[in-house]
Amino acid sequence: MSEYVVLGDEAVALGAVHGGVSSCYGYPGTPSTEIMEYLLEYSEKEDGPFACWSSNEKTAMEEALGTSFAGKRAIVTMKHVGLNVAADAFMNGALLDIRGGLVVVVADDPGMHSSQNEQDTRFYADFAKIPLLEPANQQQAYDMTREAFDLSEKMGCPVVLRLVTRLSHSRAAIVTKEARKENPINKADNKQDWMLLPANARRRWDSLLGRQKDMISYSENSAINALTMNESNKDRGIITTGLGYNYYKENESELSDNPSHLHIGVYPVPEDKIRKIAAHVKELIILEEGYPLVERLIAGLLPRDLKITGKLENIVPLQGELNPDNIRPALGLPARESAAPSTLDLVGRPPQLCKGCPHDDTYRVIKEVQAELEESTVTSDIGCYALGALPPLSVPETIICMGASITAAKGSSEAGLNNVMAVIGDSTFLHSGLTGLVDCVSSKTDVTIIIVDNETTAMTGGQTTILPSSRLEGVVRGIVGETDHVMTIPAHRKFHEENKEKLRKELAYKGVSVIIAVRECIETARKAKK
Amino acid sequence: MKYDIILSGVGGQGVLSLASVIATAAAKAGYKVRQSEVHGMAQRGGAVMAHMRISDGEIFSDLIGQGTADMILSMEPLESLRYLSWLSPDGIVITSTNPVINIPNYPEESEIKSALDKLKTRRLVDDKTIAKEAGSVRAGNMVIVGAAAADLPFGMDYLKAAVESMFSRKGDEIVQVNYKALDLGSQIS
């Protein structure tokens, strides 16, 4: 037993190591990135477990499934929107006969601190019909990661561990337990259970549905799903999930009536415990981090005259993170008095491209060329360069999801827009831009794709790009073919006029052009010098 | 006992390493600490804010409730004003007076000054000048920590021990500069 002060993400990584994980895969994405960063560093220092970044979340998920197929324990990490990318493998993975524990860690971002949406991963676990564990603090993040491997092997399916930003990126002390050994190689013996041909898939789906009662029974008996009854208070009860627990506890001492309380951290939801608390009270207040999942799930379980207070009527806010303040109205507590606000106009200070960033130079080239054109369109993508959408640059017009700049540009061009440019980073291009480029080449679409190659995955803190930059032009040429319309240019002010001229020419060309604008990220360059 | 601090500044200023010194010192003094951080896109040149909670009992929430923070500790004057709704009516604002002007509509210096002067309890720190005096322009964040020392629930010894454990691998000279920055900061009232 040792005590460590760690981020929630690092607690998960340690839990995986001590839980006997053999292989770790992931794609960086805030707030999940630090799990793999810890595992990569640990793996290098301690010569194991195997850990590496993958091209995208889908390949990571499939690689982890391969490890599980070999009978060993695997972890795969991503942010919530990454699970959309991995969804095909994730949903089908639920039907496989998992013997080597497979834990899918997904970090959600309620409040959208650095994301495009707030989606709640608990719906995915419900959708796939597999268990999900939701820690409320760093200690639980450690313990539940270990538990998730055991549970996965016990239920014979993948298990999801759901984090949220506020836990991923908060630090506290945890107590660790003795490490477990890795599983020996033990390849799945019945290959029918790993080949999802329709006949096998139907049998596996039946099996998964049959295991639901075991999952509910596990959840019903879990010590995490703690029900504390107060027989004398029949007015109201509280259900919390995830970090809702912390915010409730933070305010509990101000409540005069001490309500019965059920916390849910293990899913599927414990139906008997919910029935028990519901049968006891007139009003049930539900504080859950994310969407109103529990609130919607349980409506059918409960007596009709029960009042449910929660997110569906926006009494607990439907949008953004929970916090110690925004749950107070639901608890009937008044707002707290604070220091007087400043009378000064507190102008906003949005994030921005770093001073001297190579993307800034590329966007300036685009902006000036755009000014000469009667009509033009610029689509952009997910990465640091998305910050070019803010003043003073304000260049991109669309930012949708990883890889969508190229495909959205294709659609815009095919709809009749002229001078269409797609801006995409090197990591994003390899993540999910490649297939879009294939589509453009196949349709001979008139687009100019600008790959802003800063030789790193900058947005998430500078992870090494999955392939070195020197390979990028070769990869592109392999798809586009030998043509004068694929080129590498230096993303530097010194070459500003030359770069403008090249962009003008490629916009004039009616077909697929790819300009790779290269200069190392100033942040990684600075770190390398240190 | 509980002591809640809102830390603020601009991404890239070193708010997290400032937080780390206080958190390490609090842990050395035997307190429980929870510290939430800002990662990813939000930290690039934008406004950053972090919560730090120190207590001798259990801490449930990573976030501090509105109107309950004991201190706002800021590396930048405009940013010290942004989070006043978290400050308890009896809380103190301790801030650097050196602005980071990376937005076109940054208020006039006189406006900022008069807004700071209206605060009930405040301590203004010219961390840049003092850091230079301590021997390194990069020790500004330790000057700010020093300026907060009198109000923190543990003594300067713990802060120095935290500085030593964080900077000792960079050499004794760096440790001494940071000690001096802490000491000079602590003389500001």
Side-chain angles (χ1 to χ4, degrees):
Chain A
M1 296 240 275
S2 316
E3 192 164 302
Y4 297 88
V5 173
V6 289
L7 289 175
D9 275 351
E10 295 168 345
V12 169
L14 262 179
V17 168
H18 295 168
V21 74
S22 294
S23 302
C24 318
Y25 302 98
Y27 185 81
T30 312
S32 71
T33 313
E34 292 77 10
I35 306 169
M36 275 299 292
E37 290 202 322
Y38 191 99
L39 287 166
L40 285 160
E41 199 185 318
Y42 185 95
S43 157
E44 200 179 305
K45 267 195 221 147
E46 305 293 326
D47 201 23
F50 179 83
C52 74
W53 290 117
S54 305
S55 294
N56 66 35
E57 294 83 355
K58 180 172 187 281
T59 64
M61 179 78 73
E62 292 156 351
E63 286 149 10
L65 282 166
T67 296
S68 178
F69 179 69
K72 295 199 162 207
R73 291 184 163 189
I75 195 169
V76 52
T77 77
M78 63 198 69
K79 68 183 295 180
H80 59 326
V81 289
L83 186 54
N84 300 333
V85 177
D88 200 358
F90 173 79
M91 293 301 293
N92 292 348
L95 295 198
L96 303 173
D97 179 28
I98 300 292
R99 306 280 180 89
L102 175 59
V103 178
V104 183
V105 189
V106 188
D108 290 357
D109 189 15
M112 293 183 266
H113 296 276
S114 36
S115 303
Q116 303 80 49
N117 75 36
E118 285 199 348
Q119 70 185 62
D120 184 333
T121 292
R122 296 178 303 162
F123 279 82
Y124 260 115
D126 185 57
F127 190 21
K129 300 231 166 282
I130 59 176
L132 177 143
L133 305 181
E134 185 181 24
N137 56 44
Q138 290 78 355
Q139 184 66 54
Q140 283 187 4
Y142 173 81
D143 295 335
M144 281 182 170
T145 306
R146 296 186 64 140
E147 181 184 348
F149 285 110
D150 297 340
L151 181 59
S152 169
E153 289 172 4
K154 191 176 156 117
M155 295 296 161
C157 64
V159 169
V160 179
L161 184 79
R162 182 216 189 193
L163 305 173
V164 292
T165 304
R166 195 54 63 189
L167 175 59
S168 287
H169 290 167
S170 284
R171 237 172 249 284
I174 61 163
V175 178
T176 59
K177 298 185 197 86
E178 202 181 324
R180 173 200 187 276
K181 280 208 177 71
E182 291 182 30
N183 288 354
I185 287 258
N186 180 18
K187 190 172 146 183
D189 45 10
N190 182 359
K191 60 188 179 190
Q192 303 306 320
D193 291 343
W194 274 79
M195 292 196 293
L196 296 178
L197 298 165
N200 293 342
R202 280 192 286 270
R203 196 169 41 73
R204 294 301 307 165
W205 178 230
D206 186 54
S207 159
L208 183 64
L209 292 175
R211 278 173 276 153
Q212 296 301 304
K213 57 180 186 324
D214 302 334
M215 295 178 200
I216 294 172
S217 152
Y218 184 89
S219 148
E220 208 73 70
N221 294 310
S222 162
I224 293 289
N225 291 344
L227 174 62
T228 318
M229 293 297 290
N230 177 4
E231 295 299 335
S232 64
N233 178 357
K234 299 202 182 250
D235 289 333
R236 55 181 184 169
I238 313 277
I239 293 181
T240 58
T241 79
L243 272 60
Y245 175 85
N246 301 342
Y247 305 130
Y248 172 62
K249 285 304 225 186
E250 195 68 25
N251 285 295
E252 195 185 22
S253 63
E254 290 178 51
L255 297 178
S256 52
D257 55 0
N258 198 21
S260 295
H261 174 205
L262 170 63
H263 176 71
I264 300 174
V266 178
Y267 301 74
V269 296
E271 294 180 0
D272 285 344
K273 282 178 177 166
I274 291 170
R275 284 195 190 94
K276 191 171 175 200
I277 188 172
H280 184 65
V281 296
K282 292 194 198 89
E283 183 190 12
L284 204 47
I285 298 166
I286 300 170
L287 304 174
E288 52 190 321
E289 185 75 287
Y291 288 7
L293 171 84
V294 169
E295 196 177 333
R296 289 180 60 174
L297 275 178
I298 66 179
L301 297 173
L302 305 181
R304 282 179 186 276
D305 54 351
L306 181 83
K307 181 182 172 197
I308 299 177
T309 299
K311 292 190 166 216
L312 287 177
E313 290 183 5
N314 214 12
I315 297 165
V316 178
L318 197 51
Q319 199 179 358
E321 282 185 289
L322 294 185
N323 63 46
D325 300 298
N326 62 15
I327 63 160
R328 287 172 71 88
L331 297 173
L333 295 170
R336 296 188 183 92
E337 196 188 326
S338 63
S342 176
T343 48
L344 185 74
D345 179 21
L346 295 168
V347 290
R349 193 193 301 261
Q352 48 192 261
L353 289 172
C354 308
K355 220 174 240 172
C357 171
H359 302 330
D360 186 76
D361 289 303
T362 304
Y363 274 130
R364 281 179 201 284
V365 168
I366 296 172
K367 200 176 169 86
E368 287 176 29
V369 171
Q370 271 192 300
E372 302 163 3
L373 298 165
E374 217 166 275
E375 184 207 329
S376 66
T377 297
V378 178
T379 60
S380 188
D381 220 295
I382 311 299
C384 273
Y385 47 91
L387 294 170
L390 303 173
L393 290 164
S394 311
V395 173
E397 294 166 74
T398 74
I399 297 167
I400 305 166
C401 63
M402 292 285 280
S405 60
I406 296 179
T407 29
K410 179 177 188 281
S412 309
S413 171
E414 284 156 359
L417 294 180
N418 293 308
N419 296 315
V420 178
M421 291 167 262
V423 177
I424 188 166
D426 47 338
S427 296
T428 314
F429 178 70
L430 293 168
H431 175 282
S432 50
L434 273 166
T435 43
L437 175 61
V438 172
D439 285 1
C440 291
V441 173
S442 165
S443 309
K444 300 187 176 64
T445 311
D446 178 22
V447 288
T448 301
I449 296 165
I450 300 149
I451 303 179
V452 285
D453 178 1
N454 60 358
E455 307 181 31
T456 187
T457 312
M459 178 77 134
T460 46
Q463 290 74 33
T464 308
T465 310
I466 197 91
L467 285 180
S469 280
S470 56
R471 305 280 286 273
L472 211 52
E473 187 172 324
V475 168
V476 171
R477 281 194 183 278
I479 297 169
V480 183
E482 272 315 310
T483 151
D484 294 338
H485 303 287
V486 173
M487 69 197 69
T488 298
I489 63 166
H492 201 284
R493 218 174 315 170
K494 262 199 305 203
F495 303 97
H496 186 76
E497 289 306 322
E498 284 171 63
N499 289 344
K500 272 170 72 179
E501 187 48 36
K502 283 178 183 157
L503 179 58
R504 279 187 204 110
K505 264 195 175 152
E506 293 314 320
L507 286 171
Y509 169 67
K510 298 291 166 211
V512 180
S513 310
V514 181
I515 299 173
I516 307 170
V518 183
R519 178 155 63 87
E520 190 186 2
C521 166
I522 59 151
E523 274 295 309
T524 56
R526 193 177 57 84
K527 273 185 206 154
K529 258 192 217 160
K530 258 191 185 171
Chain B
M1 193 291 305
K2 66 125 198 123
Y3 202 86
D4 289 339
I5 308 173
I6 296 286
L7 301 152
S8 64
V10 178
Q13 274 197 305
V15 173
L16 286 189
S17 53
L18 178 151
S20 186
V21 169
I22 298 178
T24 306
K28 280 181 192 291
Y31 292 108
K32 288 204 161 92
V33 185
R34 287 280 276 264
Q35 177 202 335
S36 88
E37 308 185 349
V38 184
H39 293 217
M41 174 152 87
Q43 74 185 130
R44 290 172 198 280
V48 297
M49 179 246 221
H51 297 239
M52 182 178 312
R53 314 198 63 194
I54 300 167
S55 173
D56 54 7
E58 191 164 5
I59 303 168
F60 288 107
S61 164
D62 299 292
L63 294 172
I64 298 167
Q66 302 255 323
T68 67
D70 300 282
M71 177 186 286
I72 290 175
L73 192 56
S74 182
M75 297 278 290
E76 208 278 345
L78 177 64
E79 298 310 320
S80 75
L81 299 167
R82 204 181 291 281
Y83 308 104
L84 286 176
S85 61
W86 268 269
L87 193 65
S88 122
D90 308 320
I92 182 169
V93 175
I94 300 176
T95 182
S96 160
T97 51
N98 296 298
V100 174
I101 305 175
N102 64 353
I103 42 174
N105 47 354
Y106 196 93
E108 291 293 323
E109 205 178 327
S110 59
E111 289 178 73
I112 294 269
K113 192 176 178 307
S114 85
L116 289 172
D117 283 339
K118 278 184 202 150
L119 297 174
K120 201 170 137 198
T121 316
R122 59 171 181 55
R123 194 171 297 147
L124 307 181
V125 188
D126 178 3
D127 55 317
K128 267 192 187 163
T129 308
I130 300 172
K132 248 183 240 162
E133 197 184 327
S136 166
V137 283
R138 294 178 59 192
N141 51 0
M142 291 308 121
V143 175
I144 301 282
V145 174
D151 292 85
L152 295 173
F154 44 82
M156 186 62 109
D157 293 354
Y158 291 109
L159 288 170
K160 288 197 170 164
V163 163
E164 204 204 339
S165 67
M166 284 174 63
F167 295 103
S168 60
R169 65 189 171 87
K170 291 184 177 173
D172 188 54
E173 200 181 329
I174 303 279
V175 173
Q176 294 305 326
V177 166
N178 282 294
Y179 281 172
K180 194 165 180 202
L182 277 176
D183 281 331
L184 291 174
S186 72
Q187 289 161 25
I188 298 164
S189 54

